[in-house]
Amino acid sequence: MYKIPRILPAGDKAVVVEYGNEISEECNKRVLNLYSALKRQDVTGITSIIPTYRSLLIKYEPLKLTVDDLTALIAKSDMSTSVEEFKAKVIEIPAAYGGDFGPDLEIVAEYHNMTSEEVIKIHTGSAYRIYMLGFTMGFAYLGGMSEKIATPRLEKPRTEIPAGSVGIAGSQTGIYPVTSPGGWRLIGKTPVKLYDPHRENPILLEAGNYIKFVRITPDEFHEIEQHVNKNAYEVKTYNYDG
Amino acid sequence: MECLKVINPGLFTSVQDMGRFGYESRGVPVSGAMDEFAFRVANMLVGNVENAPVLEMTLMGPTLEVMQDTVVAVTGAWMNPLVNGVERPCWSSFPVRKGETLSFAPVKTGCRAYMAVPGGFEGDVVMGSVSTYTRGSIGGIKGRRLEKGDVLSLKRHTLFTHFFKVKEEYIPHYSAEEEIRIVPGPQHDYFSREAVELFLNSTYTITKDSDRMGYRLDGPAIKAKEKHDIITDGLLPGTVQIPGNGKPIIMLKDAQTTGGYAKIATVISIDLSKLAQLKPGDRINFRAVSLQEAHQLLKEKEEVLNKIKEILVPLRYFDVTVNGRAFNVGLEIL
């Protein structure tokens, strides 16, 4: 991690603020602190901000905000965010494991010489940090999965993976927000919609928060799914306390 | 209010506004008109606010049945509008009447034309924008390109009965080879000076794997000093990525919000309009400009847009008969 963030040009309407060249919670926290500080100030001329693992892409209107003023603002905001600006929350994601919900669960268990139950226990055992969103609408890059269940991707990707599928790829875990092709090992599925373009809050997850998977039965899955379809389901959230 | 019925959708016609902003942090591409300059001028010609939804038409225009009298403006690629087969000028507005057929001549130069109507087109508003993003099936008409039988509606009825054309000197001319200006970075330090020079001194061809998401280029491969992969970070329309095979990819309006390849350069915002008018097979030469220069160019372009708006040339259309054939002629009002 750098002592002072680097500010790099990204064309005439954006800059990149880079805090380091690593994937670490510490580095990502600095990113999200600056993100919160800038969002809170609601600066005229900043059109949007994309926080990522170790940097932010800040888009601006140079005719409203000069690059010098923006640079000064970034430096000032970065200095003043020594206290934790971003208050992280935990979002509980109910997921059914195995069977049709997670057709690769047994393969993952065999790969590690454990039972399916053990895989589920490890997967639901800790909260995963949402480092960033990207790649596709609503896709969260999660960190913190145990190496004990890290499993290589499929050699031949599936052509269609239903939205809500929970998978493992190497030491990453994640949820498919929309139906798409992919090579992740599928271990479960959530009835919760991470992405719904017509909902008031179209994308459920936000960088800096945490996900905790909670195991549900197939019956509970169908019950929650019905509520979700009626737009009458709310995920459980609480403050993250480390 | 129903306005136009799609008889033939053309090659790729979609409803676009300026784009979907503020959801990039959640992985939502901005989308929006590829050629912002032509888009904004089209709206000016029909008295719209700048961000009113228009049709973006690609290489082959649609055929539309007019369902109610209105005014239409067409800008961008040179594909002359035809009303019942009779040519209308580009970069102008003109009347269409109920029952007439509006179609487009084959494209002469450029790639994307814009059609605006007073009040703008109606479309699905998703996350604050009606821009169609086909990969995500959102915006526009059911999140897809136009299809035969679709009916386009006006957002509201406006009594707009003036016709204008853009002063000749402000109309851009498109060619099959363009100079595209870039600002180096954010990751140009992943490349040696020789590699950056090769990138700037070579001619690249736009390949068939090119669309609203991005243009893949063919030409000399650019090798990174060490590796091409970076820790995934943010990108925007105009970002030039260099993947492992060394062939540049320019990200455009439907680009994903993050990417994991080193970004050698970023196209300056006003040259995205130039890029929008290039098609597969056309050629690009990159030229580096300083950030200060890029900001100056942006300011000048903004002044041009203001001038265009100030001195739109009023037109009046007359029905005339010559040797028994009926014509409708647009004349400048002095």
Side-chain angles (χ1 to χ4, degrees), chain B residues 84-122:
Chain B
N84 283 350
V86 179
E87 209 165 272
R88 289 281 177 272
C90 295
W91 293 85
S92 309
S93 55
F94 53 89
V96 291
R97 296 183 188 94
K98 189 178 170 177
E100 288 178 336
T101 301
L102 176 60
S103 59
F104 293 83
V107 68
K108 279 184 232 157
T109 58
C111 180
R112 293 178 172 88
Y114 294 86
M115 178 178 145
V117 292
F121 288 107
E122 192 134 30

Side-chain angles (χ1 to χ4, degrees), chain B residues 14-17 32-43 45 53-58 72-79 81 91-92 104 111-117 121 174 212 253 272-273 276-277:
Chain B
S14 64
V15 177
Q16 299 291 342
D17 58 19
M34 289 274 282
D35 180 344
E36 269 181 35
F37 181 82
F39 162 77
R40 287 169 70 182
V41 175
N43 273 327
L45 284 164
V54 305
L55 287 187
E56 180 177 277
M57 311 177 283
T58 316
V72 164
V74 176
T75 62
W78 222 263
M79 42 168 100
W91 293 85
S92 309
F104 293 83
C111 180
R112 293 178 172 88
Y114 294 86
M115 178 178 145
V117 292
F121 288 107
Y174 307 127
R212 286 180 45 87
K253 291 294 173 93
L272 291 176
S273 291
Q277 297 302 346

Side-chain angles (χ1 to χ4, degrees), chain A residues 72-93:
Chain A
L73 179 78
I74 290 165
K76 200 177 126 226
S77 304
D78 181 57
M79 300 284 272
S80 64
T81 55
S82 51
V83 286
E84 194 148 321
E85 177 92 28
F86 190 89
K87 299 278 178 276
K89 278 186 298 195
V90 180
I91 293 137
E92 276 193 3
I93 300 291

Side-chain angles (χ1 to χ4, degrees), chain A residues 6 12 48 59 135 138 203, chain B residues 24 26 189 231 258 269 295:
Chain A
R6 293 168 77 196
D12 59 332
S48 60
K59 299 189 193 178
F135 171 62
I203 289 157
Chain B
E24 294 105 305
R26 309 291 190 96
D189 57 355
I231 296 172
T258 59
S269 55
H295 285 155

Side-chain angles (χ1 to χ4, degrees), chain A residues 58-200:
Chain A
I58 303 176
K59 299 189 193 178
Y60 68 103
E61 267 308 329
L63 302 180
K64 288 183 189 154
L65 178 66
T66 67
V67 71
D68 292 339
D69 286 348
L70 175 62
T71 307
L73 179 78
I74 290 165
K76 200 177 126 226
S77 304
D78 181 57
M79 300 284 272
S80 64
T81 55
S82 51
V83 286
E84 194 148 321
E85 177 92 28
F86 190 89
K87 299 278 178 276
K89 278 186 298 195
V90 180
I91 293 137
E92 276 193 3
I93 300 291
Y97 286 84
D100 288 342
F101 299 107
D104 300 329
L105 177 65
E106 278 177 40
I107 297 163
V108 171
E110 271 170 40
Y111 186 86
H112 295 285
N113 281 320
M114 22 172 120
T115 63
S116 297
E117 284 304 315
E118 281 170 312
V119 173
I120 296 167
K121 206 173 161 205
I122 293 169
H123 195 257
T124 53
S126 47
Y128 302 123
R129 180 176 178 83
I130 303 170
Y131 276 90
M132 58 180 274
L133 275 80
F135 171 62
T136 180
M137 296 188 289
F139 180 80
Y141 288 84
L142 303 176
M145 192 186 77
S146 167
E147 288 292 332
K148 285 183 204 157
I149 53 172
T151 317
R153 287 163 207 256
L154 291 173
E155 273 173 31
K156 193 166 168 266
R158 291 185 171 90
T159 52
E160 198 181 293
I161 293 170
S165 295
V166 177
I168 291 175
S171 48
Q172 276 192 86
T173 184
I175 312 168
Y176 283 86
V178 291
T179 300
S180 51
W184 292 41
R185 304 276 179 177
L186 307 181
I187 58 166
K189 195 179 171 199
T190 176
V192 171
K193 283 183 186 164
L194 269 62
Y195 165 72
D196 180 354
H198 298 291
R199 191 165 60 194
E200 193 193 331

Side-chain angles (χ1 to χ4, degrees), chain A residues 166-233:
Chain A
V166 177
I168 291 175
S171 48
Q172 276 192 86
T173 184
I175 312 168
Y176 283 86
V178 291
T179 300
S180 51
W184 292 41
R185 304 276 179 177
L186 307 181
I187 58 166
K189 195 179 171 199
T190 176
V192 171
K193 283 183 186 164
L194 269 62
Y195 165 72
D196 180 354
H198 298 291
R199 191 165 60 194
E200 193 193 331
N201 177 19
I203 289 157
L204 183 68
L205 303 177
E206 192 179 359
N209 285 333
Y210 289 76
I211 279 183
K212 180 95 165 53
F213 288 101
V214 175
R215 187 187 189 177
I216 53 171
T217 64
D219 283 347
E220 285 168 326
F221 181 98
H222 296 300
E223 196 185 316
I224 294 173
E225 193 177 38
Q226 279 180 16
H227 288 293
V228 168
N229 289 339
K230 281 185 244 158
N231 215 351
Y233 181 80

